[in-house]
Short mmCIF file of all heavy atoms in Angstrom, two decimals:
data_model
loop_
_atom_site.label_atom_id
_atom_site.label_comp_id
_atom_site.label_asym_id
_atom_site.label_seq_id
_atom_site.Cartn_x
_atom_site.Cartn_y
_atom_site.Cartn_z
N GLY K 66 -1.17 27.55 -8.33
CA GLY K 66 -0.07 27.79 -9.28
C GLY K 66 0.46 26.61 -10.05
O GLY K 66 1.17 26.81 -10.94
N PHE K 67 0.14 25.41 -9.57
CA PHE K 67 0.54 24.19 -10.21
C PHE K 67 -0.61 23.41 -10.79
O PHE K 67 -0.36 22.33 -11.38
CB PHE K 67 1.24 23.28 -9.23
CG PHE K 67 2.57 23.84 -8.69
CD1 PHE K 67 2.62 24.65 -7.58
CD2 PHE K 67 3.73 23.59 -9.37
CE1 PHE K 67 3.82 25.15 -7.10
CE2 PHE K 67 4.95 24.05 -8.90
CZ PHE K 67 5.06 24.88 -7.81
N LEU K 68 -1.83 23.93 -10.78
CA LEU K 68 -2.96 23.20 -11.17
C LEU K 68 -2.85 22.75 -12.67
O LEU K 68 -3.06 21.57 -12.93
CB LEU K 68 -4.21 23.99 -10.94
CG LEU K 68 -5.55 23.26 -11.21
CD1 LEU K 68 -5.77 22.11 -10.32
CD2 LEU K 68 -6.80 24.18 -11.18
N GLU K 69 -2.66 23.60 -13.53
CA GLU K 69 -2.59 23.20 -14.91
C GLU K 69 -1.42 22.29 -15.24
O GLU K 69 -1.60 21.36 -16.04
CB GLU K 69 -2.38 24.49 -15.83
CG GLU K 69 -3.60 25.43 -15.87
CD GLU K 69 -3.58 26.47 -14.81
OE1 GLU K 69 -2.87 26.31 -13.79
OE2 GLU K 69 -4.25 27.48 -14.95
N LEU K 70 -0.43 22.30 -14.48
CA LEU K 70 0.82 21.51 -14.70
C LEU K 70 0.57 20.06 -14.16
O LEU K 70 1.01 19.09 -14.74
CB LEU K 70 1.99 22.15 -13.97
CG LEU K 70 3.35 21.36 -14.11
CD1 LEU K 70 3.86 21.42 -15.52
CD2 LEU K 70 4.39 22.05 -13.18
N ARG K 71 -0.25 19.95 -13.06
CA ARG K 71 -0.32 18.66 -12.43
C ARG K 71 -1.68 17.95 -12.65
O ARG K 71 -1.86 16.77 -12.27
CB ARG K 71 -0.13 18.79 -10.94
CG ARG K 71 1.31 19.29 -10.61
CD ARG K 71 1.54 19.47 -9.14
NE ARG K 71 2.88 19.94 -8.75
CZ ARG K 71 3.28 20.27 -7.51
NH1 ARG K 71 2.39 20.20 -6.47
NH2 ARG K 71 4.45 20.66 -7.29
N ILE K 72 -2.64 18.65 -13.08
CA ILE K 72 -4.00 18.10 -13.14
C ILE K 72 -4.06 16.80 -14.01
O ILE K 72 -4.85 15.85 -13.54
CB ILE K 72 -5.05 19.13 -13.63
CG1 ILE K 72 -6.53 18.66 -13.45
CG2 ILE K 72 -4.75 19.55 -15.09
CD1 ILE K 72 -6.91 18.40 -12.03
N GLU K 73 -3.38 16.74 -14.99
CA GLU K 73 -3.46 15.54 -15.91
C GLU K 73 -2.86 14.29 -15.23
O GLU K 73 -3.40 13.19 -15.49
CB GLU K 73 -2.74 15.77 -17.30
CG GLU K 73 -3.51 16.81 -18.15
CD GLU K 73 -2.85 16.93 -19.46
OE1 GLU K 73 -2.06 16.12 -19.82
OE2 GLU K 73 -3.18 17.93 -20.18
N ASP K 74 -1.88 14.51 -14.35
CA ASP K 74 -1.34 13.35 -13.59
C ASP K 74 -2.35 12.88 -12.57
O ASP K 74 -2.55 11.75 -12.30
CB ASP K 74 -0.05 13.71 -12.91
CG ASP K 74 1.08 13.93 -13.96
OD1 ASP K 74 1.13 13.14 -14.89
OD2 ASP K 74 1.92 14.81 -13.69
N GLN K 75 -2.99 13.84 -11.85
CA GLN K 75 -3.93 13.56 -10.78
C GLN K 75 -5.27 13.03 -11.34
O GLN K 75 -5.92 12.24 -10.80
CB GLN K 75 -4.13 14.78 -9.90
CG GLN K 75 -2.92 15.13 -9.10
CD GLN K 75 -2.76 14.36 -7.91
OE1 GLN K 75 -3.75 13.63 -7.35
NE2 GLN K 75 -1.51 14.30 -7.34
N VAL K 76 -5.76 13.72 -12.43
CA VAL K 76 -7.08 13.36 -13.01
C VAL K 76 -6.95 13.29 -14.53
O VAL K 76 -7.16 14.30 -15.29
CB VAL K 76 -8.09 14.53 -12.64
CG1 VAL K 76 -9.52 14.04 -13.04
CG2 VAL K 76 -8.08 14.82 -11.17
N PRO K 77 -6.50 12.12 -14.99
CA PRO K 77 -6.25 12.02 -16.48
C PRO K 77 -7.53 12.01 -17.37
O PRO K 77 -7.46 12.36 -18.55
CB PRO K 77 -5.55 10.64 -16.57
CG PRO K 77 -5.99 9.90 -15.36
CD PRO K 77 -6.17 10.95 -14.29
#
Side-chain angles (χ1 to χ4, degrees):
F67 292 91
L68 185 64
E69 289 90 341
L70 183 65
R71 297 178 181 174
I72 188 64
E73 289 183 18
D74 291 323
Q75 291 282 340
V76 189

